[in-house]
Amino acid sequence: MQVISLTVYGEPASKANSRRAVRIGGRSMFIKSKKALDYSKGFIDQTKDLGHEPFVDDVAVTMHIWYASRRPDLDESLILDLLQGVAYVNDRQ
């Protein structure tokens, strides 16, 4: 069994509550919130060049998530999405 361990600093945004409405070219669209975009950028910066290829077989993920307060909803889905291409090929594994 292969194991990798990552520590990513920053407070993740709830994927479900991290959309904002914007108008682009006269069309309304929903995009990630500034908090989600900032966390995603920080995550990518901290996890590039890990020195291994993403796993292609079934995986198990254990996370410890800390928030600055109890106010945010616990939502690991943004982290699981961001791990795609870093720890595994697809989060359906």
Side-chain angles (χ1 to χ4, degrees):
M1 173 173 49
Q2 291 181 306
V3 176
I4 63 169
S5 178
L6 301 171
T7 300
V8 177
Y9 296 96
E11 185 174 275
S14 168
K15 187 176 173 184
N17 297 330
S18 66
R19 298 282 177 192
R20 61 186 166 133
V22 296
R23 292 194 57 83
I24 299 175
R27 289 183 33 202
S28 294
M29 300 178 70
F30 287 96
I31 63 171
K32 288 181 181 176
S33 68
K34 180 169 177 7
K35 181 178 178 180
L37 289 170
D38 290 346
Y39 181 78
S40 297
K41 182 183 179 321
F43 187 100
I44 292 165
D45 289 345
Q46 293 177 60
T47 58
K48 62 184 167 191
D49 303 324
L50 294 178
H52 77 86
E53 293 296 314
F55 295 118
V56 295
D57 295 322
D58 291 343
V59 297
V61 176
T62 302
M63 283 187 233
H64 301 276
I65 303 170
W66 285 271
Y67 289 99
S69 70
R70 291 185 180 215
R71 185 155 192 229
D73 290 338
L74 178 60
D75 184 356
E76 77 290 341
S77 59
L78 180 61
I79 298 168
L80 291 171
D81 285 348
L82 290 167
L83 283 170
Q84 290 185 135
V86 174
Y88 42 76
V89 174
N90 190 289
D91 63 359
R92 287 178 276 163
Q93 292 170 243

